[in-house]
Each structure stands twice: as structure tokens, then as C-alpha cells.
Amino acid sequence: MISAVGHEVDTTLADYAADARAPTPSAAAEMAVPDRAVLFAALRQYRCAMADALGNQLERAFDELANTAGKNSPQKLGYHIVERRQTLDDMSDRLLSCHKGENYRGPSPPE
């Protein structure tokens, strides 16, 4: 809260309760509203930081992809795909069971 009664010499109760005191209502408005140039400078800094973070994340992902591609044979990749597909199927079953209000009983045994 900013107290700004006006061009008064007296101190009001609001002055004591306020977090800050401005000599005029115009000065109070200047205190309450941040400078536009400062906001734009901060936005530019945030944008640069986000771009750097995204670039670093992409670089790590490409490095991980290159390392993974070199280590996995096509047979292992096929196994991982089947394994992940089964995990997704199980998760889907759990989600549908929860949506229907049923208790999840796990994957059904093979027939």
C-alpha cells in the first residue's frame, strides 16, 4: 500500500499503515508502476535465458540420441519398442479402469 494524500504537510493514519509514502498521487503512481524500459530489458534477458536453456536441452538430447543409436542394435530397439508398447497398453488399461470407476486388476493372463 502506498500512501499519497496530496500536498499535505500533516501525517495521516494512512501514512503509518502504508508500506511506502509518496509526497503526491503522481509520485505514488510512479512508485506503483514499474518503468516500461526496465520491464522490456528483463523480458529480453528472460528470452535469452530461455533460448540458451532450450539450446542446451536440444544439444543434450542430440548427444543422447547419438550415444543411444551407437549402442543399440536393431534387435534391441525392436525389443524396447515392444516393451514400451506393453507399458503404454497397461497404462491405458489402468486409465480406462479408473475412468470407469473400476479397480485395476493388472494385465490379463495370456490365453
Side-chain angles (χ1 to χ4, degrees), residues 58-73 77:
L58 284 172
E59 187 175 327
R60 282 192 305 272
F62 281 120
D63 289 344
E64 184 178 335
L65 179 63
N67 290 336
T68 302
K71 292 179 182 177
N72 289 323
S73 66
L77 289 176

Side-chain angles (χ1 to χ4, degrees), residues 1 4-5 9 11 15 20 35 49 55 65 69 74 81 89 91 97 104:
M1 180 171 101
V5 175
V9 179
T11 302
D15 291 332
D35 183 21
L65 179 63
I81 290 171
D89 286 343
M91 293 171 83
S97 295
Y104 178 69

Side-chain angles (χ1 to χ4, degrees), residues 14-59:
D15 291 332
Y16 293 115
D19 296 318
R21 184 181 189 293
T24 65
S26 298
E30 289 176 8
M31 290 172 65
V33 179
D35 183 21
R36 187 176 180 165
V38 172
L39 288 175
F40 281 119
L43 284 174
R44 279 192 299 275
Q45 286 179 328
Y46 292 140
R47 189 178 331 144
C48 288
M50 287 175 49
D52 289 344
L54 181 59
N56 290 336
Q57 189 173 6
L58 284 172
E59 187 175 327

